[in-house]
Amino acid sequence: MTASFHNTGGSAARSGTVTFGTHIIGALGIDWATIESTEDLPVPIAAGATRKKTWTVCVDAWRVPLGMRIETRDVSVQGE
């Protein structure tokens, strides 16, 4: 999962977290579950700057039966 973060504030972002919502999708397109994982933001991000980071998002194999797939659809950020 690659995400870009743009700091629109007036000071540097110094800490925070990003949460990924990875959906388990059935063969017919039904969303069966969402697994959340949380990582630290790639800080510092200077005011007005953009920072890009790539993470590996993993889901236990038993959660994704044959014929199903995963999609990371949701990303939320919490600054501290």
Side-chain angles (χ1 to χ4, degrees):
M1 174 71 206
T2 299
S4 294
F5 302 93
H6 182 73
N7 182 356
T8 59
S11 61
R14 301 197 191 295
S15 64
T17 57
V18 57
T19 301
F20 301 106
T22 301
H23 296 254
I24 300 171
I25 310 296
L28 299 176
I30 297 171
D31 191 338
W32 289 94
T34 302
I35 307 299
E36 289 189 349
S37 56
T38 302
E39 298 288 340
D40 291 331
L41 277 175
V43 292
I45 305 172
T50 299
R51 190 103 182 253
K52 187 183 226 182
K53 171 95 174 157
T54 300
W55 291 271
T56 300
V57 178
C58 298
V59 176
D60 294 321
W62 64 268
R63 292 184 181 270
V64 189
L66 188 62
M68 297 179 98
R69 67 184 189 281
I70 62 170
E71 295 178 8
T72 301
R73 294 181 174 178
D74 309 315
V75 179
S76 62
V77 175
Q78 177 65 45
E80 297 170 8

